[in-house]
Amino acid sequence: ILHQERRKSEEEVQEKIEHRDGKVEEVLTDGRRILTFHNGTKKEISVDKRTTTISFSNGDIKKIMPDQTVIYYYADAQTTHTAYPDGLEVLQFPNNQIEKHYPDGTQEIVFPDHTVKCLYSDGLKETFFPDGTVVKVEKNGDKIVIFRNGQREIHTAQFKRREYPDGTVKTVYCNGRRETKYSTGRVQIKDEEGNLILDKK
C-alpha cells in the first residue's frame, strides 16, 4: 500500500524546481503548487491561486481564503482563530468555547454549557444562562438579574431589590433597613434588627 501511495504522489508531481535558497517548488498535475522552505514550512497554492495554505513546522496551519478570510490553527493550544474581511474575529477553543470579537468592540463568548456572555464597548455586560436567566451588569456596577419565572433582582451600591410578577417589591438597603411593598398597596418597613417600624395597609 505504501509503495502504491508513493508512486501516486510521485505521479502527482509534474515539475520540481530546487531554488538556490533551499526552497523546493513542486507543480502538481492538478495545477497546485507546493513550496517547501528549508525550515520545514510548506506553502500550498490552489489551482486558481485564490487559496493559500501554509503549514508550519510546529504544526500551526494558516489558510487564506479567496475572500481574504484568514483561518489560523494553533497546534499547541488546539485553537482556531478566524479573521474575516469585515473585521469580525472568531476564536474556537478545544473545550468548545467560542469567542467572537466584533469591529465595534463588542465581544460575545459562548461557553461549552451554552451560557452566552456579551461585553459591549459601552461597558455593559450581559450573560444569558441556559435556564433562561439573564444577568446585566452596568458600567457603574449596578446589576439586574431577570429570572425565567418573571422575577427581577436589582443590585446597586445603595440597595438590593427583588421584584415579583404580582407587583410585590422587596428592598434591602445597605444600612440593613427592609421595605416590602405589596401589590395590594400595603407597605412594611423593618429596621436593621428586623423590628417592624411601619405597616401601612
Side-chain angles (χ1 to χ4, degrees), residues 61-124:
I61 299 167
K62 180 181 184 179
K63 194 167 190 169
I64 303 163
M65 307 301 285
D67 68 354
Q68 296 307 300
T69 295
V70 177
I71 304 163
Y72 196 104
Y73 175 74
Y74 296 90
D76 280 351
Q78 297 181 332
T79 300
T80 303
H81 176 245
T82 306
Y84 294 92
D86 65 2
L88 171 66
E89 293 186 38
V90 179
L91 289 144
Q92 293 173 285
F93 297 93
N95 67 351
N96 292 328
Q97 179 174 315
I98 297 169
E99 284 186 20
K100 293 180 181 179
H101 299 256
Y102 294 91
D104 68 358
T106 301
Q107 289 181 43
E108 178 184 289
I109 304 161
V110 181
F111 294 95
D113 69 353
H114 303 292
T115 297
V116 178
K117 188 174 202 170
C118 296
L119 311 168
Y120 301 99
S121 52
D122 65 1
L124 173 69

Side-chain angles (χ1 to χ4, degrees), residues 22-35:
K23 177 174 65 182
V24 176
E25 186 175 346
E26 295 173 315
V27 180
L28 307 183
T29 50
D30 65 6
R32 287 178 296 140
R33 288 182 177 277
I34 298 176
L35 298 152

Side-chain angles (χ1 to χ4, degrees), residues 39 85 108 123 131:
N39 64 0
E108 178 184 289
D131 69 357

Side-chain angles (χ1 to χ4, degrees), residues 36-54:
T36 305
F37 298 88
H38 67 277
N39 64 0
T41 298
K42 284 186 182 234
K43 181 178 184 179
E44 184 180 315
I45 302 163
S46 66
V47 180
D48 61 7
K49 296 180 178 60
R50 297 181 67 216
T51 304
T52 305
T53 305
I54 302 163

Side-chain angles (χ1 to χ4, degrees), residues 126-168:
E126 277 186 309
T127 307
F128 303 87
F129 292 93
D131 69 357
T133 303
V134 178
V135 178
K136 296 180 183 187
V137 181
E138 300 285 342
K139 190 177 181 178
N140 65 4
D142 290 359
K143 181 162 82 170
I144 299 168
V145 183
I146 302 160
F147 297 96
R148 197 172 66 184
N149 63 7
Q151 293 182 22
R152 288 166 47 104
E153 229 175 68
I154 299 158
H155 299 227
T156 71
Q158 293 78 35
F159 63 82
K160 284 184 182 178
R161 177 177 291 148
R162 187 108 185 203
E163 299 173 351
Y164 297 85
D166 71 354
T168 300

